[in-house]
Amino acid sequence: QVKLVQSGAEVKKPGASAKVSCTASGYIFTDYYIHWVRQAPGHGLEYMGWINPKSGGTNYAQKFQGWVTMTRDTSISAVYLELGSLKSDDTAVYYCAREILGVAGITFDTWGQGTLVSVSS
Amino acid sequence: QSTLTQPPSASGSPGQSVTISCTGSSSDIGRYNHVSWYQHHPGKAPKLIIFEVTKRPSGVPERFSGSKSGNTASLTVSGLQADDEAFYYCASDVDSVDLIFGGGTKLTVL
């Protein structure tokens, strides 16, 4: 079945960077856009942007431009979310999600299990 | 607008119906019929329950329904069950390439 499996939790110091992976299985990797969403403790979902696994093209939400980088490795059906200089406010669970084809609007049918990135000195 | 506006909480007894609103603007909900709703049990991945304002994915009970009027979308959960207790998030396209979420509503089944 369709699955997105994310890398494990990370603990980082302020100013460090982080890289979260999301490995897809059960479908043709290059056929579906992958998006990233985060949820800080006690807060709601926050949209970060997407990557087109076929072309490598990306679109980042304005708030995250210049801070995040999304890449992919088609040989292993994985996408990556690189987070720049981290602050305590960036402590959150980061989710990858697959966009549905043939549906109007950005809509997700499959989510990864989430990766907690904790930022603390 | 950074988030769509949802009430922070809603509640109902088993068997009752509850409606959760989601208010945006003419740039998002009012412009597109691209509203979706997600159910999120803490510690688990969010689950799509409504897309394109009113449609339900396969496997989602008919008890869940969506609607929209102007800049406000709504999710109605009928015949409340204990397992419906979760956070619910609305989402809408904005500017056709970005997505905006609501702040989330915690639904409590009394």
Side-chain angles (χ1 to χ4, degrees), chain A residues 14 18 36 42 60 65 97-98 121:
Chain A
W36 290 91
Y60 305 137
Q65 290 176 6
R98 188 183 82 156
S121 55

Side-chain angles (χ1 to χ4, degrees), chain B residues 7-93:
Chain B
S9 64
S11 63
S13 300
Q16 289 187 331
S17 294
V18 64
T19 297
I20 298 170
S21 63
C22 171
T23 300
S25 70
S26 57
S27 298
D28 37 70
I29 292 177
R31 173 177 289 184
Y32 307 102
N33 285 324
H34 299 175
V35 178
S36 53
W37 289 88
Y38 297 88
Q39 178 190 63
H40 191 200
H41 289 101
K44 302 179 74 173
K47 175 187 175 183
L48 178 67
I49 54 173
I50 295 288
F51 66 98
E52 291 181 357
V53 179
T54 61
K55 299 178 181 178
R56 282 176 289 104
S58 174
V60 173
E62 292 182 9
R63 303 186 296 105
F64 292 90
S65 62
S67 63
K68 187 187 95 166
S69 177
N71 297 337
T72 298
S74 298
L75 170 72
T76 298
V77 186
S78 305
L80 274 174
Q81 300 179 2
D83 191 50
D84 296 334
E85 186 161 298
F87 288 86
Y88 290 83
Y89 294 91
C90 59
S92 173
D93 280 14

Side-chain angles (χ1 to χ4, degrees), chain A:
Chain A
Q1 77 278 27
V2 175
K3 287 184 71 174
L4 297 175
V5 178
Q6 298 183 223
S7 49
E10 299 195 37
V11 179
K12 297 290 183 181
K13 293 194 182 303
S17 60
K19 189 172 184 177
V20 179
S21 69
C22 170
T23 302
S25 62
Y27 70 96
I28 299 174
F29 175 67
T30 51
D31 280 356
Y32 295 80
Y33 282 31
I34 294 291
H35 299 247
W36 290 91
V37 175
R38 76 176 184 179
Q39 183 177 33
H43 288 75
L45 302 175
E46 187 173 30
Y47 181 69
M48 301 180 73
W50 54 255
I51 181 168
N52 177 345
K54 180 176 288 185
S55 67
T58 56
N59 179 71
Y60 305 137
Q62 188 170 13
K63 174 178 178 176
F64 298 102
Q65 290 176 6
W67 184 65
V68 304
T69 304
M70 298 176 192
T71 57
R72 94 292 192 209
D73 183 341
T74 57
S75 68
I76 57 171
S77 299
V79 296
Y80 302 94
L81 174 70
E82 293 183 76
L83 307 173
S85 181
L86 291 161
K87 300 177 295 189
S88 58
D89 286 355
D90 298 315
T91 294
V93 175
Y94 290 79
Y95 293 98
C96 60
R98 188 183 82 156
E99 180 180 344
I100 302 177
L101 293 178
V103 166
I106 300 173
T107 308
F108 311 128
D109 64 348
T110 305
W111 295 66
Q113 83 276 19
T115 297
L116 175 62
V117 176
S118 298
V119 184
S120 174
S121 55

